[in-house]
């Protein structure tokens, strides 16, 4: 690969590389999901150090234009899904509204004693058994979220691993059993990815994830489940419209 000359003027070399890569993304040379040249290729192409290349990529990643997948390389970021917090929806509804094909992989489906925090959220005695479901959520075949859900046995035993590979909990309870999910509360924060989460979501360990903690309830404010969902923040954001008066 022939070396491409950079300007020796006042603009830092890393910034020049950043602008070149940005322009290639904007004009469609690289499409969302495409793999970018490896660091070694960029070093050879521009005749610069690894530190210079990494600084350019760090800034592009911070701006949400690229994403590094641990052990796989650097890719052009997919379009970020922007969700409005105006009504209670499930994962499939969210992805379909964004024009993406949703799917799920059930990683854990088991019964276990509840923790104190989960018991409190579900209005259960501490230590009572719940059904726990861990799932990897995908959009167009790419990992976008990982979630852990705990349900009281009265609801959890209505589900099977096979059902949840095809349907959401909301849809299964509402259509198969006539149990509507009517309301929920969200708590949104940021956490660092554990090694297991990072591997599943194809991000670097300790990458910041968007954590959505929610409790969903059926008629009579009865908790159906408590869930921790970890989203890749390069793929999802939330928007809330507020009014000052009224």
């Amino acid at each position: 690969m022939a070396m491409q000359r950079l300007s020796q003027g006042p603009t830092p070399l890393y910034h020049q590389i950043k602008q070149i890569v940005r322009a290639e993304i904007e004009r469609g040379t690289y499409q969302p999901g495409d793999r970018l040249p490896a660091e070694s290729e960029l070093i050879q192409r521009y005749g610069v150090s690894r530190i210079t290349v990494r600084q350019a990529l760090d800034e592009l990643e911070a701006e949400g234009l690229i994403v590094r997948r641990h052990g796989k390389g650097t890719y052009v970021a997919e379009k970020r899904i922007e969700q409005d917090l105006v009504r209670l929806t499930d994962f499939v509804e969210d992805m379909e509204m964004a024009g993406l094909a949703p799917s799920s992989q059930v990683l854990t489906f088991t019964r276990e004693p509840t923790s104190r925090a989960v018991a409190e959220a579900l209005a259960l005695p501490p230590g009572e058994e719940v059904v726990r479901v861990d799932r990897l959520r995908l959009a167009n075949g790419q990992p976008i979220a990982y979630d852990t859900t705990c349900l009281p046995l009265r609801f959890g035993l209505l589900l099977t691993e096979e059902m949840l590979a095809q349907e959401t909990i909301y849809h299964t309870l509402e259509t198969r059993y006539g149990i509507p999910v009517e309301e929920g509360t969200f708590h949104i924060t940021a956490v660092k990815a554990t090694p297991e989460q990072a591997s599943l979501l194809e991000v670097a360990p300790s990458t910041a994830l968007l954590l959505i903690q929610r409790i969903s309830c059926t008629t009579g404010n009865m908790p159906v489940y408590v869930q921790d969902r970890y989203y890749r923040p390069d793929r999802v954001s939330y928007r809330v419209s507020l009014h000052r008066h009224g």
Side-chain angles (χ1 to χ4, degrees):
M1 179 185 296
M3 183 183 298
Q4 297 183 25
R5 295 290 181 182
L6 300 176
S7 169
Q8 297 304 311
T11 304
L13 297 180
Y14 80 86
H15 187 76
Q16 294 181 50
I17 296 172
K18 170 188 169 183
Q19 292 303 100
I20 291 170
V21 175
R22 176 198 289 277
E24 290 177 331
I25 292 172
E26 290 178 346
R27 65 171 171 259
T29 303
Y30 297 110
Q31 297 288 328
D34 284 352
R35 189 179 187 277
L36 292 177
E39 287 184 6
S40 58
E41 295 178 63
L42 295 175
I43 290 168
Q44 182 180 0
R45 178 182 298 179
Y46 298 111
V48 296
S49 69
R50 186 173 298 275
I51 291 174
T52 298
V53 166
R54 285 187 174 172
Q55 189 169 0
L57 296 178
D58 284 345
E59 293 206 356
L60 289 168
E61 185 176 33
E63 293 175 12
L65 287 176
I66 66 172
V67 59
R68 286 161 164 145
R69 295 180 184 163
H70 190 57
K72 294 191 175 184
T74 303
Y75 295 78
V76 179
E78 300 281 357
K79 181 180 178 182
R80 182 176 287 174
I81 301 165
E82 189 173 81
Q83 299 178 2
D84 289 311
L85 285 177
V86 294
R87 69 184 185 91
L88 195 59
T89 55
D90 63 24
F91 177 77
V92 168
E93 292 168 331
D94 290 338
M95 296 303 106
E96 289 180 344
M97 283 189 289
L100 302 174
S103 58
S104 298
Q105 296 176 9
V106 180
L107 307 175
T108 301
F109 189 92
T110 189
R111 290 170 60 162
E112 65 181 27
T114 183
S115 67
R116 181 176 296 275
V118 169
E120 182 177 344
L122 295 177
L124 297 174
E128 183 162 322
E129 276 198 333
V130 293
V131 170
R132 174 183 160 188
V133 184
D134 295 349
R135 290 170 292 180
L136 179 64
R137 318 307 288 267
L138 303 103
N140 288 353
Q142 297 297 320
I144 191 171
Y146 165 83
D147 57 48
T148 294
T149 309
C150 292
L151 306 95
L153 294 185
R154 68 172 69 92
F155 299 122
L157 293 181
L158 299 175
L159 308 173
T160 67
E161 184 172 344
E162 292 71 26
M163 287 179 189
L164 296 183
Q166 305 296 327
E167 305 175 13
T168 64
I169 294 173
Y170 282 11
H171 185 266
T172 301
L173 293 178
E174 290 176 350
T175 60
R176 291 177 182 255
Y177 302 107
I179 302 171
V181 178
E182 297 183 338
E183 59 183 291
T185 59
F186 279 53
H187 181 254
I188 303 176
T189 188
V191 295
K192 290 183 177 180
T194 66
E196 178 187 11
Q197 292 166 349
S199 176
L200 289 168
L201 293 173
E202 298 181 0
V203 297
S206 296
T207 293
L209 301 177
L210 188 65
L211 170 59
I212 314 295
Q213 297 174 299
R214 66 180 180 180
I215 302 171
S216 295
C217 299
T218 186
T219 306
N221 202 34
M222 179 184 296
V224 171
Y225 70 60
V226 59
Q227 180 184 84
D228 287 350
R229 176 174 294 164
Y230 302 86
Y231 271 117
R232 285 176 42 164
D234 62 306
R235 298 300 315 279
V236 172
S237 66
Y238 281 88
R239 180 176 59 192
V240 182
S241 296
L242 303 174
H243 298 279
R244 182 167 174 79
H245 301 290

